[in-house]
Amino acid sequence: MIAARFCRKEFNMNKKRLGLILGLLVLFTLVLSLTGCDQIYKAYKGDYEGGITSTELHAPGTWSGTIDKKGNFSGTCKVIFDEGDGPKLKEFTMSGKVSKTGQLTCTATGTGALYTKIEFKAQIVGPAVTGTWSTDEGAKGDFAGKKK
C-alpha cells in the first residue's frame, strides 16, 4: 500500500517534470526560430554605394542604399539620360531584396517620358557588389559598388 502511493506520487512528479522540460524546450525552440530569421541577412545588412556605367549614359551614374536586417534594399540612383531634349540628371528611387546567397535584385523608378524604370541584378560577395542594369528602352550597363 505504501509502495503503491510512493510509486503514484513519484509518477506524478515525473509527469510534472516532463511537462516542464517539454514546455521549456518548446519555448527555447520558439526563441531560436524568431531570432534566427534576422541572422540570415546579417552579413549583408548595412549601407552601400557605387557607380553605374554604360556607353548609353552621358556620364557615369551613382547609387547608394541600405540593406536592412530582413534583407530589404532601399536607396537612390542618379544617372544622366538624354530623353530628346539634352542630357539631364535623373534621380530614381530604388527598392528590392537580397537573397540568402547575396543575390541583389532591385528596381529603380523615376519620372519622365523615357527611362522611368531600371532593373538591377547584382551579387554581393564580402563588401563588393557587382552586376548589371537594364531599362525597357534597351539601355544597359554595369553596376558595381561596395559596403561602406
Side-chain angles (χ1 to χ4, degrees), residues 23-35:
L24 288 173
L25 185 61
V26 168
L27 182 63
F28 181 71
T29 304
L30 180 64
V31 168
L32 278 181
S33 68
L34 291 176
T35 58

Side-chain angles (χ1 to χ4, degrees), residues 54-72:
S54 172
T55 55
E56 282 101 352
L57 299 177
H58 289 272
T62 61
W63 67 273
S64 62
T66 301
I67 296 174
D68 68 16
K69 67 181 181 178
K70 300 212 181 277
N72 298 310

Side-chain angles (χ1 to χ4, degrees), residues 100-120:
K100 297 173 188 177
T101 59
Q103 182 72 35
L104 176 63
T105 306
C106 65
T107 301
T109 54
T111 58
L114 298 170
Y115 306 111
T116 57
K117 183 170 93 172
I118 304 173
E119 297 288 336
F120 293 91

